[in-house]
Amino acid sequence: MKTESVAPDLGYLRLVLVNVYLYGLPDAGDRGWVLIDAGIPGPGVADRIIQAAAERFGPDARPSAIVLTHGHFDHVGTLRALAEHWDAPVYAHRLELPYLTGRRAYLPPDPTVGGGAMSLLSPLYPRGPFRFEDRVAELPGDGTVPGMPGWQWIHTPGHSPGHISLFREDDRALIAGDAFVTTRQESVIGVAAWQPRVHRPPAYFTPDWAAARDSVRRLAALEPELAATGHGPPMRGREMRLQLHALADRFDTVALPRHGRYVGRPLFQEPLPRLLLGVGAAVALIVVGRLARR
């Protein structure tokens, strides 16, 4: 299961719904590389990541660290298995630690934000609390990233309270997590098509839209050359920056959901709309199941 390179020392592995990133030069060897995020839960997912790492860095090469952009289920799904297999330390922002150490669950997702089946199905997604208290530690307060010299972590909340992005000034490489993404993550069709386009953070799991807007604007101001996101294909160059600036400049009109509990405009309050939402979710689940079996 080979990774695809987006920079000489940065590769990614596309899993169902989400990407994981592997930092380090090929054949870096034991403790010579870092894993960013840990993918979705599911049979065989951890094995795919382990195999990809072995092919890129060498047999039995363990990471020096696992760094989390945030703790949503599709970014920590194999964290326990990987951290124990490699005996690797895990790092996250201090505001993310309550959700990763069994103290707090994330706010409920919002299936009413629209966009497609992924939104409708969001009440089924695990939201914790997750129990990694024996493995996870706080990122250094000075902005450095363990095992990644030359990179800095940037607090980019909104999608989650302790969400971070990673940036390297030398080549303006950005690992954005879900602060913004490059596919329409609310839609099964959008996820399957995987057409590169800068989009808002996944709306069904974004509770703080004001912070999300500020985070997108902060990342746009960095003028990245490469944007590697949690969902969707990596993008680079002038066209990516134009799209990112357009999202930042017009965030309130192109990114904010028209309805939703976290934008103060709840859509489904009466019994009939709630029933229709349930029917829509059932249909979406059937569609997703059929796509997964193809």
Side-chain angles (χ1 to χ4, degrees):
M1 182 56 61
K2 291 186 179 298
T3 57
E4 296 188 44
S5 291
V6 293
D9 58 357
L10 185 64
Y12 77 99
L13 179 65
R14 180 187 178 187
L15 303 169
V16 177
L17 303 181
V18 70
N19 303 320
V20 299
Y21 290 88
L22 299 92
Y23 165 77
L25 290 169
D27 300 321
D30 194 41
R31 304 302 192 195
W33 61 281
V34 173
L35 178 70
I36 297 99
D37 289 337
I40 61 171
V45 177
D47 290 339
R48 289 182 64 190
I49 297 173
I50 291 168
Q51 179 185 350
E55 291 177 357
R56 183 174 178 87
F57 301 116
D60 302 318
R62 298 168 296 173
S64 62
I66 301 173
V67 175
L68 300 176
T69 61
H70 60 301
H72 285 162
F73 81 101
D74 51 342
H75 293 255
V76 301
T78 66
L79 182 61
R80 169 66 62 186
L82 294 178
E84 291 183 352
H85 176 79
W86 286 320
D87 191 24
V90 180
Y91 295 94
H93 191 277
R94 64 178 178 81
L95 294 180
E96 211 71 0
L97 294 183
Y99 310 98
L100 298 169
T101 57
R103 288 177 282 163
R104 191 178 303 166
Y106 287 103
L107 291 173
D110 186 356
T112 72
V113 293
M118 298 300 296
S119 294
L120 289 173
L121 292 172
S122 61
L124 303 177
Y125 305 154
R127 59 186 184 94
F130 303 109
R131 302 297 302 264
F132 305 116
E133 58 268 32
D134 58 328
R135 287 286 178 179
V136 68
E138 181 182 338
L139 280 162
D142 61 0
T144 57
V145 184
M148 298 179 66
W151 291 78
Q152 61 177 310
W153 64 261
I154 301 168
H155 188 205
T156 48
H159 187 60
S160 75
H163 189 288
I164 63 161
S165 302
L166 308 178
F167 184 67
R168 181 166 59 186
E169 178 67 35
D170 284 352
D171 58 356
R172 305 207 320 274
L174 172 67
I175 302 173
D178 287 3
F180 67 89
V181 296
T182 53
T183 190
R184 192 158 57 91
Q185 188 62 22
E186 296 84 4
S187 164
V188 170
I189 295 173
V191 170
W194 225 54
Q195 294 297 318
R197 183 80 187 178
V198 172
H199 285 278
R200 66 188 177 182
Y204 48 83
F205 250 158
T206 301
D208 189 338
W209 286 97
R213 177 187 61 225
D214 292 343
S215 292
V216 168
R217 290 177 176 173
R218 184 176 186 184
L219 295 179
L222 296 174
E223 302 290 348
E225 176 61 25
L226 166 70
T229 60
H231 305 276
M235 294 179 64
R236 64 176 68 247
R238 180 175 180 272
E239 180 58 31
M240 176 272 292
R241 287 190 294 275
L242 288 174
Q243 293 182 25
L244 180 55
H245 278 288
L247 177 64
D249 294 343
R250 302 173 55 211
F251 193 91
D252 289 347
T253 56
V254 302
L256 280 181
R258 294 180 60 187
H259 301 281
R261 70 170 72 189
Y262 300 119
V263 293
R265 295 188 293 270
L267 178 61
F268 295 107
Q269 293 180 320
E270 301 302 323
L272 180 59
R274 290 203 303 269
L275 175 62
L276 293 175
L277 177 65
V279 172
V283 171
L285 186 59
I286 293 171
V287 171
V288 171
R290 287 181 176 176
L291 287 174
R293 288 193 294 270
R294 287 184 177 177

